[in-house]
Amino acid sequence: MDFPPRELKDIYEKYQEWAAWYSGDREQLIEVYTGMAGKFWAKDIEKERRTMLHMPLAGDIAGVNSDLLFSEKPQVSLENETTQKRVDTSLEQMDWYSRLLEGAESASALGGTYLKIDYDRDMLGFPVINVAQADSAIPEFKWGFLQSVTFYKIISDINERHTWRLAEKRENGSITYKLYKGTLYNLGKEMPLEARSETQDLEDVNFNTNKLTVVYIPNKKPNRLWRGSDLGQSDLSGVESLLDALDETYTSWMRDIRLGRARIVVPENMLKTVDGKRKFDIDKEIYEGLKWDPNSDAKITPQQFALRVEEHRQTTRELIEKIVSVCGYSPASFGIGTEGGQAATATEIKAKESKSFKTRNKKAKYWERGLEYILEVWLEIDKELFNSQTVVEKPNVTISDSIKQDPLEKADSIEKLNRAEAASVKVKVRMLHPDWKDEEIEAEVERIKRESGMIVDEPDVRA
């Protein structure tokens, strides 16, 4: 059996390309593009490769995506107080906030990421939510819903003739393991788990649940590259050529600086023989008298080539702005166009970065839905395997806005609406407390109306 399967070959080739850009590693880019005509990184001249520079913009894009989504910890709310404490404590101990930042980065680069539940009762007293990379998984979807997923992990040194892989398949309520011995491009023959020390203690697992212990979170949809696919779209999809052009421009800029260094042209008779070669010592501060025909035109001539700094700067900036815009972000999110400005208010920041926040809000919906699902399954596994005294319920997950509005600025906006009688009490309370639940808002509206005399209790009329 080919690995990856033939029907997924194109997808995995794109994963490899995006992963190379995300990594910022020149060698990976060379490996991906060697032999491709028209690409800067396709050059196979060793002498040129030494001077080729890479600007790691793809990694910056993934980082900005992660920062926008999870600049603060998501709020996880549950009805049961005991369950709330158990979840809060466990999530803190497993450092799940860092795991979410990691997942958001890889989702940006590869179009999506997986969150899966693992456990080791000898190590921790609760299940752990781990991040799994999209390019290590073979998923199966039906009508947009994940049905099963198999994760493949290479557990021996990679070479084309000898590769060991562990396959971990997750289906509803179960995890099964298989070990394969094959090649880099072929899954090969199934072997007993005992054949490797890394897998000899693994056992298949069946849980008292009919749910998957894994969730796929797409980066964004629809997938323009593979229309109809249930996989998310990478932020890098469609900008690969622009990223390649950016590296070519930056390399050209640095080449201009290298070639534009001041040089001194001297007559051949001024050269000194060193180790059989004639050289001119430009760093020598004291020179001996040089003898040559006084009627000769020979002289020391300095040369300085012009540097096309402004042309390269403008081209580089234009490419960066175009790349981040196509990826769904505002240039201001990358510090472009914000140089030397005064401190901006939350409203001004959001105005400059409106495109970034629209993209972030779309992505947040996928993450909130995915986190709510995996946390509910986490509660089921925790109760079954660790006998926790919790109530299994679906939590409410809210991904907080990364830019907090100044309280005075918010109060001023509400006051203007109040004077204009342009908003109800409920709307103003929701503006002031956007993270509150409906019942909390209703209770606050009730208190405000009573304190302001808008609601008066019926008088106690006695006969």
Side-chain angles (χ1 to χ4, degrees):
M1 176 182 174
D2 291 338
F3 189 88
R6 292 183 181 179
E7 62 271 20
L8 299 179
K9 184 175 181 294
D10 291 343
I11 293 175
Y12 268 75
E13 285 180 352
K14 293 303 293 187
Y15 279 159
Q16 185 181 16
E17 183 178 8
W18 296 330
W21 285 112
Y22 173 54
S23 72
D25 182 24
R26 293 170 67 254
E27 296 304 319
Q28 289 191 40
L29 288 167
I30 291 171
E31 181 181 351
V32 167
Y33 288 111
T34 294
M36 291 189 185
K39 295 287 187 181
F40 170 68
W41 283 105
K43 293 182 178 180
D44 57 1
I45 303 174
E46 189 64 30
K47 193 172 182 179
E48 287 192 37
R49 281 184 176 171
R50 289 199 298 268
T51 63
M52 292 166 69
L53 300 178
H54 172 54
M55 181 178 285
L57 181 58
D60 288 345
I61 290 170
V64 167
N65 175 71
S66 180
D67 292 342
L68 286 170
L69 278 168
F70 298 114
S71 61
E72 296 183 10
K73 293 182 181 179
Q75 298 176 7
V76 180
S77 303
L78 297 116
E79 295 291 340
N80 185 274
E81 185 176 348
T82 302
T83 305
Q84 182 75 62
K85 290 181 179 179
R86 172 69 173 176
V87 168
D88 289 343
T89 301
S90 300
L91 294 182
E92 185 67 28
Q93 291 182 8
M94 76 174 72
D95 194 17
W96 95 308
Y97 180 50
S98 297
R99 297 170 191 260
L100 295 182
L101 291 170
E102 174 192 348
E105 272 211 21
S106 60
S108 170
L110 299 180
T113 193
Y114 295 87
L115 297 180
K116 64 189 184 82
I117 299 172
D118 295 312
Y119 68 94
D120 185 338
R121 283 181 284 195
D122 295 329
M123 178 180 174
L124 293 171
F126 51 83
V128 175
I129 298 176
N130 278 321
V131 175
Q133 303 297 315
D135 56 355
S136 68
I138 305 293
E140 294 179 19
F141 291 92
K142 184 176 182 180
W143 302 329
F145 296 96
L146 184 64
Q147 300 297 296
S148 68
V149 59
T150 304
F151 298 105
Y152 288 92
K153 178 182 179 182
I154 293 178
I155 59 175
S156 68
D157 292 337
I158 302 175
N159 60 66
E160 294 189 4
R161 297 181 59 188
H162 189 203
T163 302
W164 289 80
R165 284 187 181 86
L166 174 64
E168 174 191 304
K169 186 168 186 177
R170 303 221 170 192
E171 298 177 291
N172 288 343
S174 70
I175 304 176
T176 55
Y177 299 96
K178 290 183 179 180
L179 181 64
Y180 294 93
K181 181 180 180 182
T183 67
L184 188 58
Y185 304 106
N186 191 278
L187 197 56
K189 180 182 178 182
E190 183 178 349
M191 305 293 288
L193 294 173
E194 295 78 11
R196 299 284 303 192
S197 60
E198 300 94 333
T199 60
Q200 61 184 6
D201 295 328
L202 293 176
E203 294 181 353
D204 294 346
V205 184
N206 289 291
F207 302 107
N208 293 327
T209 179
N210 61 350
K211 299 186 180 72
L212 283 171
T213 56
V214 61
V215 65
Y216 175 72
I217 301 178
N219 178 53
K220 58 185 177 183
K221 285 187 174 183
N223 192 318
R224 297 173 185 171
L225 184 60
W226 305 304
R227 287 177 296 157
S229 170
D230 294 306
L231 297 172
Q233 177 176 304
S234 166
D235 283 340
L236 307 181
S237 180
V239 299
E240 300 91 344
S241 295
L242 292 174
L243 289 168
D244 190 69
L246 176 62
D247 284 351
E248 185 171 12
T249 302
Y250 203 68
T251 299
S252 174
W253 189 353
M254 295 303 104
R255 183 184 291 115
D256 259 25
I257 292 175
R258 186 173 63 256
L259 297 179
R261 289 179 297 183
R263 284 173 169 78
I264 295 178
V265 179
V266 299
E268 186 176 1
N269 62 350
M270 294 185 184
L271 301 178
K272 183 178 180 180
T273 301
V274 179
D275 297 330
K277 297 180 180 180
R278 297 181 66 79
K279 297 181 179 180
F280 181 76
D281 189 355
I282 192 174
D283 295 318
K284 190 172 182 179
E285 295 183 2
I286 300 176
Y287 294 91
E288 299 175 359
L290 302 175
K291 296 180 181 180
W292 71 82
D293 184 352
N295 297 320
S296 172
D297 292 334
K299 60 181 179 179
I300 298 176
T301 306
Q303 280 192 346
Q304 174 71 63
F305 294 98
L307 302 180
R308 300 169 296 168
V309 175
E310 195 56 38
E311 292 89 338
H312 280 104
R313 179 186 290 114
Q314 290 177 357
T315 304
T316 299
R317 178 162 179 160
E318 176 70 21
L319 283 169
I320 292 175
E321 290 183 356
K322 176 60 68 175
I323 290 168
V324 300
S325 179
V326 172
C327 290
Y329 302 98
S330 305
S333 298
F334 294 80
I336 300 174
T338 60
E339 302 87 350
Q342 297 180 346
T345 65
T347 301
E348 291 171 336
I349 292 174
K350 286 188 174 182
K352 290 181 179 180
E353 302 185 37
S354 60
K355 189 169 186 176
S356 294
F357 283 103
K358 288 176 182 177
T359 299
R360 175 254 178 213
N361 292 339
K362 293 175 184 177
K363 294 182 177 183
K365 298 302 180 184
Y366 296 118
W367 277 93
E368 288 174 345
R369 190 183 311 124
L371 293 177
E372 288 174 353
Y373 173 86
I374 202 66
L375 285 172
E376 184 178 10
V377 179
W378 183 92
L379 284 170
E380 291 189 38
I381 304 302
D382 183 48
K383 192 175 185 68
E384 177 184 346
L385 299 182
F386 296 90
N387 300 315
S388 62
Q389 303 303 308
T390 56
V391 175
V392 176
E393 58 176 288
K394 185 176 182 179
N396 180 59
V397 176
T398 303
I399 297 179
S400 303
D401 197 338
S402 58
I403 301 296
K404 294 296 184 182
Q405 188 176 9
D406 187 302
L408 293 177
E409 183 184 353
K410 187 182 293 186
D412 182 59
S413 299
I414 294 175
E415 174 60 24
K416 289 178 180 178
L417 289 173
N418 190 52
R419 289 201 304 267
E421 297 182 354
S424 65
V425 175
K426 186 174 182 178
V427 168
K428 288 181 283 188
V429 171
R430 191 178 294 280
M431 287 178 61
L432 191 60
H433 304 286
D435 56 331
W436 279 14
K437 297 179 181 178
D438 289 341
E439 54 267 28
E440 293 176 305
I441 292 175
E442 293 292 348
E444 182 69 5
V445 169
E446 178 78 11
R447 285 190 290 268
I448 292 173
K449 287 184 176 181
R450 286 189 177 278
E451 291 176 5
S452 62
M454 297 171 69
I455 295 179
V456 180
D457 291 331
E458 289 291 334
D460 186 8
V461 180
R462 297 182 180 179

